[in-house]
Amino acid sequence: MKTQNNTILITGGSAGIGFEMAKLFSQNGNKVIITGRNADRLTKAAAQLENVTSIVSDVTNAEDTAQLVDVLKKDFPSLNIVINNAGFAHVYNLIDIEVEAFQKAQEEIVTNYLSIVRLNEKLLPLLKQNESSAIVNVSSIVSFAPALSIPTYSSSKAALHSYSQILRFALAKSTNVKVFELMPPLVDTDFSSEIGGNNGIKPNVVAERLFEGLANDEFEIHVGFTEDFYKLYLSSPEKALEALNS
């Protein structure tokens, strides 16, 4: 997969991993579009970067998504990489009877899974007509084993992992669209602050690992500790579950 001269959409690109991706790819000769719900954050993020366009858009909103797709088709017909990075998580314990687990799970599954399925479906016709196209789904180490503090977030990322595998398999048969999955461990961002994100790796490390993985056609990109954890998971899912929650 080429890593220069691309037109790249990054959802959730105003902060954290998404911002670092936008920074790295824009510095390496790519045109980048970042989206998010907060206009002020997007404007400030884009102002710090070169060759980056910001579009206010909520991935969970069907109307926003339709409008975004229309803009991309009209103004960015060369779009060839979509990075589904926007995500949302609730920190809670399933056995707490006051947590409203259903509502939390619903919000997470819509943001972290269903919205990605919808956006990919709507952008596939555009991706198919451009050479060297790719979809990047940002999942997580918890795709392999769920974390007690983010139970239904873990489930949503497991769903995304399964979807990424079958989408890759389906598209490889008849199209030029490659499907990558980026699987970070704990990352030091505001997003993960409630679960000890300050102990995690830096977001720029995740962006750099994605850049490397794309260049090498590494379709399941294990970042940092995820590589060792994946090996543990293969040898013993039970031990992996214990290790993640110890």
Side-chain angles (χ1 to χ4, degrees), residues 114-184:
L114 293 176
S115 68
I116 292 172
V117 174
R118 176 169 56 200
L119 183 59
N120 287 344
E121 180 181 30
K122 289 183 176 297
L123 288 177
L124 268 173
L126 185 58
L127 295 175
K128 287 178 181 178
Q129 72 183 30
N130 291 319
E131 294 183 4
S132 189
S133 292
I135 290 169
V136 180
N137 295 329
V138 180
S139 65
S140 169
I141 192 173
V142 298
S143 298
F144 297 127
L148 188 63
S149 60
I150 44 174
T152 46
Y153 172 83
S154 300
S155 300
S156 69
K157 291 298 187 178
L160 182 60
H161 173 54
S162 176
Y163 163 74
S164 299
Q165 290 179 309
I166 201 62
L167 182 64
R168 181 184 305 123
F169 185 79
L171 290 174
K173 289 184 173 295
S174 60
T175 78
N176 61 328
V177 184
K178 299 175 180 179
V179 178
F180 295 82
E181 184 179 4
L182 181 66
M183 311 182 83

Side-chain angles (χ1 to χ4, degrees), residues 35-38 55-72 118-119 122:
T35 70
R37 292 180 294 184
N38 189 303
I55 301 175
V56 178
S57 182
D58 180 355
V59 294
T60 68
N61 184 290
E63 185 176 340
D64 273 18
T65 301
Q67 291 175 351
L68 172 64
V69 171
D70 287 343
V71 170
L72 293 171
R118 176 169 56 200
L119 183 59
K122 289 183 176 297

Side-chain angles (χ1 to χ4, degrees), residues 96-128:
D96 185 343
I97 62 173
E98 297 180 355
V99 299
E100 297 181 333
F102 174 83
Q103 180 179 338
K104 289 178 170 59
Q106 185 177 52
E107 292 172 349
E108 290 164 334
I109 205 72
V110 168
T111 304
N112 304 329
Y113 174 57
L114 293 176
S115 68
I116 292 172
V117 174
R118 176 169 56 200
L119 183 59
N120 287 344
E121 180 181 30
K122 289 183 176 297
L123 288 177
L124 268 173
L126 185 58
L127 295 175
K128 287 178 181 178

Side-chain angles (χ1 to χ4, degrees), residues 79-92:
L79 179 76
N80 67 314
I81 299 179
V82 175
I83 302 178
N84 292 297
N85 169 71
F88 181 75
H90 285 289
V91 179
Y92 70 102

